[in-house]
Amino acid sequence: MAIDFKNRFIMLDGGMGTMLQEAGMTPDETSAQFGLRCPQVLTNIHNKYVDAGSDILYASTFSINGRKLDKLGKSLQEAVDIVIDAALESKKRATEKYGREVYVALDIGPIGELLEPMGTLAFEDAYETFAELVRAAKDKVDLVSVETMTDLYEVKAAVLAVKENSDLPVIVSMSFEANGRTFTGTSLEAMALTLTGLGVDAMGINCSLGPEEIYPMIMELSSYTDIPVFAKPNAGLPDPNTGEYAMNAEDFAGQMSRYITSGINILGGCCGTTPDFIAGLKKAADENELGETTAQVKPLRVCSGNTVVTVDHVTVIGERINPTGKKRLKQALIDEDYDYILSQAIEQIDAGAEILDVNVGVPKLDDVKMLPRVVKKLQSITGLPLQIDSGNPEAIEAALRVYNGKAIVNSVNGELKVMENILPIVKKYGAAVVGLTLDENGIPAKAEERFAIAERILAKCLEYGIPKEDVIIDCLTLTVSAQQKEVVETLKALRMVKEKLGLKTALGVSNISFGLPVRPIVNRTFLTMAMECGLDLPIINPNSEDMMSSIFAFHVLHNIDENSVKFIERYGNMEVTGTTISAKSSNNSTQSTKNSGEHDVFYTIEKGMNNETVAQVMKLLETNDEMTVVNSHLIPALDRIGQGFEKGTIFLPQMLQAAQAAQAGFDVIKKRLAESGEKQVSQGPIIIATVKGDIHDIGKNIVKVIMENYGFEMIDLGKDVAPETILEVVLEKDIKMVGLSALMTTTLKAMEDTIKLVREHRPDCKFFVGGAVVTADYAEKIGADFYCKDAMKSVEAAQEVFNGQV
């Protein structure tokens, strides 16, 4: 059944949790438990949304999946059938009562566990969890909604599960914070690039914020994609004291009217909204003319989960993770020495690479297994986009599947069989692709012949539905010492592709100088000539300052780097020794590394390098005692990471990787102290728990990890923890401080009750509280000592308590 998401107005439904609470759901129940116990209540709620004008009903499957069955008392199939059948009753009623088609969506929410590298849940396991749910529901529903997501990687697992296990349309919405990023750091543009490439039917924003806050975000999102976008805002922000949301139905409809006139044709509501809100929104849709949205025409863009690179300048692709001619890297791949492989990535990032090429082509090495492993490892330490470099379609697909974002595939060529094997994979995963101007007859000598192959590649890409802006042509660099006449043909072909086809271009630049002395002179000269002919993506070693300085100077001379800002930033304190240029770095740890040739512990923690951190801590212990290393090196390194996180220059994945590296250093200290019989490093014990009735613990788990790295002994009581349990542990272990988390307005009362109960027995016990629905005012009202909006604020609060400041 085709649903027209583009050419008509579609009314979604409103909040389900809000309605379930009104219908008698207890604080101890999840929406899934209540729905399974009272399916007729679900049907009644769906009926009210149909009466209000909803075209799509979200079945109450949001918190149902195979990893949460222990508390449902049903098999997955039984649970899915009961809940979806409740929605189907309303669908049938809509036809009978109103004579109109209403669609039922399988509603997929987050699994509730962090995916690797932030957590322990493997991408493959997340995929299977979603796939199992889709298979159970696909014959009953009309579409799938993946909603309230904060991790783009989890979204990808869900979308692939839908597409590979059904023929259903899929719409996706993520939840953004006021800074325009999700909890894990995903930007609107990264979301748009990735989901457009994966071929979802519509994308949008739901939950977290109200209509006023979401409006500029939804308009920005619509500028990045030609796929329909939608919004399901909350009814403003909740009042923690009452649990009620700020807006009434009339105010909500008033603010949503501008969505309609701005061209957003799919709308609904989330937390705090009711059928009255949807009826008001339907009235606004009937009274206002639907406007138009226009996606901005943009050049090639690629992304990771949190970093977008727009190729509107000469964009460096780092070539060092390619074993061709590199014995040390080849052996590292054979030995699975990931530390060395990752070190090559980090060095290129520090040198200025914006994209990293990844090639694992070693004879007898299983690249189908090795390439995705390396991709996963790289994603754990960098946010740079990757270029998947292989001629093996199976290896390419294995790598693209686990890649978080929009990658580049390097490469196809003009041979029909090669294109037919690889381009469908490129299309499926929404990647960009490099096309080499060669075919079964080899590399043509003349520019015109290479251009003809480029035309064939472009035509075939368009045939497969790959956008023109995602096609990159490599006119191939030939060795000047052997094929001197062909060098000008490469440059001529490059210019033709750029001017006549309007495509982005790439070249493996250093191939030019094989067999010649003083190769850097030839390389940098050829690079400059190629850039002048239209080269966009040089594949080079960014550690070569000769090459990088040519690019920075080119940007200045072509007015790409306005006011020479980036050139001055890099070379403003330039040092020249002979013919060698030492570039200034804006990163203190990187600068010391470049000058000394050795990574210090600040650098290794910042980059998430576990083994190197261990090595640096061991070295520091040669001349320092354990507590000096902790207080003068490990803690300050974590402080620097925390400052970056609070400023928005470092995101959650990088912060957690840094925390793991720091933990590796702390483990060395703990082992040394244990062997010497000295007292272990500990700032003191702290209880941390998610309050009674609340089953969300991702934020709590992140706080735990970060605080453990600061030396606090974290006693994690888990989720859905009763006040009496927390009191028991406080008294038993003489606890000085407790951290409480809540994500649901319905469980805030349990937070207040916990503090009250513990204070009756231990009035000096300190509390810090946090969670999506907690505010500073509410924290003060319930008697909490600290409101902590994130992990670093929790650290600061604990430091105050254990340093005797409060």
Side-chain angles (χ1 to χ4, degrees):
M1 181 186 307
I3 303 174
D4 184 1
F5 291 101
K6 282 191 174 184
N7 301 306
R8 55 164 290 197
F9 187 88
I10 295 178
M11 184 64 66
L12 305 174
D13 61 11
M16 176 57 75
T18 306
M19 299 296 291
L20 292 177
Q21 291 165 25
E22 291 182 1
M25 183 175 71
T26 68
D28 294 337
E29 287 182 298
T30 66
S31 60
Q33 289 171 326
F34 183 72
L36 292 173
R37 181 168 64 84
C38 305
Q40 187 56 48
V41 172
L42 297 180
T43 300
N44 293 341
I45 293 170
H46 290 313
N47 287 342
K48 291 178 181 178
Y49 279 121
V50 169
D51 294 342
S54 292
D55 298 303
I56 294 178
L57 301 175
Y58 284 42
S60 189
T61 52
F62 179 82
S63 58
I64 295 176
N65 65 59
R67 303 178 77 87
K68 298 179 178 179
L69 293 178
D70 56 326
K71 292 190 176 182
L72 297 184
K74 304 282 184 182
S75 70
L76 181 64
Q77 190 65 61
E78 288 173 332
V80 166
D81 286 345
I82 291 170
V83 171
I84 292 178
D85 285 348
L88 291 175
E89 285 292 319
S90 292
K91 174 184 173 75
K92 179 181 177 182
R93 174 178 172 273
T95 302
E96 294 173 348
K97 184 174 182 179
Y98 298 107
R100 67 186 179 92
E101 187 73 53
V102 168
Y103 305 101
V104 172
L106 169 66
D107 190 17
I108 296 180
I111 292 172
E113 301 175 42
L114 283 173
L115 270 68
E116 56 188 1
M118 292 182 289
T120 58
L121 181 61
F123 177 85
E124 295 82 359
D125 292 337
Y127 168 87
E128 188 50 43
T129 297
F130 292 128
E132 182 183 30
L133 180 58
V134 171
R135 290 192 292 267
K138 66 178 181 179
D139 295 331
K140 287 178 170 284
V141 298
D142 303 305
L143 72 157
V144 178
S145 166
V146 179
E147 67 163 336
T148 324
M149 292 287 187
T150 60
D151 183 357
L152 190 59
Y153 206 26
E154 186 173 12
V155 170
K156 180 173 182 176
V159 171
L160 288 176
V162 175
K163 287 184 163 292
E164 293 178 351
N165 292 275
S166 77
D167 296 321
L168 296 169
V170 56
I171 64 176
V172 177
S173 56
M174 299 186 74
S175 296
F176 287 81
E177 298 182 356
N179 63 3
R181 289 184 179 267
T182 70
F183 172 64
T184 63
T186 296
S187 68
L188 291 159
E189 190 170 13
M191 173 192 178
L193 287 175
T194 304
L195 296 186
T196 300
L198 289 173
V200 302
D201 294 274
M203 69 179 79
I205 300 171
N206 81 293
C207 208
S208 293
L209 303 168
E212 182 176 358
E213 295 84 4
I214 286 179
Y215 178 76
M217 297 184 195
I218 209 72
M219 298 314 300
E220 180 182 346
L221 182 64
S222 69
S223 74
Y224 295 137
T225 181
D226 56 3
I227 287 174
V229 300
F230 65 95
K232 290 192 78 177
N234 288 347
L237 301 176
D239 182 343
N241 296 318
T242 63
E244 296 180 0
Y245 282 80
M247 304 182 73
N248 59 35
E250 183 178 356
D251 293 337
F252 184 82
Q255 289 204 15
M256 295 297 287
S257 294
R258 61 174 173 167
Y259 286 70
I260 300 165
T261 57
S262 298
I264 307 303
N265 69 310
I266 308 172
L267 293 172
C270 201
C271 299
T273 64
T274 66
D276 288 342
F277 283 69
I278 298 305
L281 183 53
K282 179 68 166 62
K283 184 172 183 290
D286 291 340
E287 294 175 350
N288 289 277
E289 184 176 349
L290 183 65
E292 294 184 2
T293 60
T294 304
Q296 299 173 8
V297 178
K298 288 184 176 290
L300 169 66
R301 293 166 294 159
V302 292
C303 70
S304 66
N306 53 41
T307 301
V308 175
V309 172
T310 301
V311 185
D312 56 2
H313 59 286
V314 178
T315 304
V316 174
I317 300 178
E319 69 178 6
R320 294 296 301 167
I321 307 177
N322 185 327
T324 304
K326 304 181 186 73
K327 292 182 179 180
R328 178 67 183 88
L329 180 60
K330 185 179 295 184
Q331 193 60 48
L333 288 166
I334 292 171
D335 297 340
E336 297 191 26
D337 180 359
Y338 295 112
D339 289 329
Y340 179 79
I341 297 168
L342 297 184
S343 73
Q344 296 302 294
I346 291 167
E347 287 178 9
Q348 292 183 96
I349 295 166
D350 289 341
E354 295 180 74
I355 300 169
L356 297 179
D357 186 81
V358 188
N359 184 305
V360 300
V362 175
K364 297 183 180 180
L365 186 69
D366 187 346
D367 57 346
V368 178
K369 292 182 179 179
M370 191 62 179
L371 191 53
R373 288 176 186 170
V374 173
V375 166
K376 283 187 173 185
K377 291 291 184 182
L378 288 169
Q379 288 182 155
S380 73
I381 56 96
T382 177
L384 287 196
L386 301 182
Q387 175 169 277
I388 309 301
D389 188 352
S390 175
N392 182 348
E394 289 184 57
I396 291 171
E397 176 154 26
L400 286 178
R401 190 171 187 80
V402 301
Y403 179 70
N404 185 15
K406 175 184 176 182
I408 301 174
V409 170
N410 184 16
S411 58
V412 297
N413 59 51
E415 190 175 348
L416 183 60
K417 183 178 179 181
V418 171
M419 290 190 284
E420 289 177 343
N421 286 338
I422 293 177
L423 290 182
I425 300 169
V426 172
K427 173 59 178 174
K428 175 180 178 179
Y429 294 98
V433 63
V434 176
L436 308 180
T437 55
L438 61 85
D439 57 18
E440 58 270 21
N441 298 315
I443 303 174
K446 294 296 183 180
E448 291 77 10
E449 295 172 287
R450 296 190 209 178
F451 178 79
I453 294 176
E455 287 184 304
R456 293 207 309 268
I457 293 170
L458 174 59
K460 186 59 69 172
C461 287
L462 295 176
E463 181 182 318
Y464 278 101
I466 298 168
K468 179 179 178 180
E469 60 268 23
D470 287 343
V471 181
I472 305 160
I473 296 297
D474 186 337
C475 293
L476 298 169
T477 303
L478 302 178
T479 305
V480 68
S481 60
Q483 295 174 282
Q484 194 167 358
K485 293 180 180 180
E486 281 79 2
V487 172
V488 293
E489 297 296 326
T490 295
L491 296 174
K492 182 179 178 182
L494 183 64
R495 190 181 292 276
M496 291 175 70
V497 167
K498 189 74 174 178
E499 294 179 352
K500 295 185 178 183
L501 298 181
L503 299 180
K504 296 299 181 183
T505 58
L507 279 178
V509 176
S510 60
N511 296 341
I512 193 74
S513 63
F514 283 127
L516 291 178
V518 199
R519 291 182 61 192
I521 296 175
V522 179
N523 290 343
R524 74 187 184 209
T525 304
F526 178 67
L527 171 62
T528 302
M529 295 171 69
M531 289 190 292
E532 199 58 47
C533 291
L535 176 62
D536 300 291
L537 293 150
I539 304 171
I540 63 173
N541 176 7
N543 299 102
S544 168
E545 199 56 51
D546 277 344
M547 304 292 271
M548 296 300 289
S549 60
S550 297
I551 293 170
F552 276 83
F554 181 86
H555 285 161
V556 170
L557 298 174
H558 274 266
N559 197 32
I560 296 169
D561 179 9
E562 292 187 21
N563 300 315
S564 307
V565 171
K566 293 183 179 179
F567 185 87
I568 292 170
E569 179 183 343
R570 188 174 180 101
Y571 299 109
N573 194 20
M574 180 181 65
E575 296 178 0
V576 180
T577 305
T579 59
T580 302
I581 301 173
S582 298
K584 180 183 179 182
S585 170
S586 60
N587 182 296
N588 291 333
S589 66
T590 302
Q591 180 64 30
S592 66
T593 297
K594 288 181 178 179
N595 289 343
S596 66
E598 184 177 352
H599 300 321
D600 63 20
V601 75
F602 284 85
Y603 180 95
T604 61
I605 289 176
E606 176 189 350
K607 302 300 182 182
M609 303 166 73
N610 291 16
N611 290 344
E612 288 82 354
T613 297
V614 168
Q616 283 301 313
V617 169
M618 295 292 290
K619 184 173 182 180
L620 288 167
L621 288 171
E622 294 175 4
T623 54
N624 299 273
D625 62 46
E626 289 81 4
M627 293 313 299
T628 297
V629 174
V630 169
N631 294 322
S632 299
H633 298 275
L634 296 180
I635 296 298
L638 284 170
D639 286 342
R640 181 183 294 179
I641 297 298
Q643 290 162 8
F645 180 72
E646 292 189 345
K647 292 177 182 177
T649 58
I650 289 174
F651 302 108
L652 184 61
Q654 289 75 39
M655 184 172 75
L656 289 177
Q657 289 302 310
Q660 290 179 13
Q663 186 62 57
F666 277 112
D667 288 344
V668 173
I669 301 293
K670 291 175 182 177
K671 183 178 179 181
R672 280 278 294 263
L673 290 174
E675 291 173 349
S676 67
E678 294 184 36
K679 185 179 179 181
Q680 292 287 309
V681 180
S682 176
Q683 300 272 20
I686 298 174
I687 287 175
I688 191 165
T690 302
V691 297
K692 178 66 177 175
D694 204 317
I695 60 171
H696 302 88
D697 66 351
I698 288 179
K700 182 259 301 175
N701 292 342
I702 291 169
V703 171
K704 174 189 172 185
V705 169
I706 301 302
M707 293 189 71
E708 283 178 337
N709 278 281
Y710 274 84
F712 295 101
E713 178 191 345
M714 303 304 294
I715 302 171
D716 185 1
L717 300 184
K719 54 192 175 184
D720 190 19
V721 183
E724 293 78 12
T725 302
I726 293 172
L727 173 62
E728 181 181 342
V729 180
V730 167
L731 297 176
E732 177 187 340
K733 296 184 178 292
D734 192 25
I735 298 298
K736 191 174 181 179
M737 191 173 196
V738 175
L740 300 176
S741 173
L743 192 70
M744 303 161 60
T745 55
T746 54
T747 60
L748 286 173
K749 184 64 165 57
M751 184 177 280
E752 181 178 9
D753 292 344
T754 301
I755 295 174
K756 182 178 179 181
L757 178 64
V758 172
R759 287 270 171 78
E760 289 175 357
H761 299 269
R762 282 289 304 275
D764 58 338
C765 186
K766 305 298 182 183
F767 282 87
F768 65 100
V769 297
V773 296
V774 182
T775 66
D777 289 342
Y778 183 71
E780 182 178 2
K781 174 182 177 293
I782 64 176
D785 300 278
F786 303 93
Y787 162 65
C788 299
K789 65 177 183 178
D790 55 41
M792 292 310 302
K793 293 299 183 185
S794 301
V795 169
E796 293 171 10
Q799 287 174 331
E800 282 191 39
V801 171
F802 286 90
N803 290 338
Q805 297 176 33
V806 292

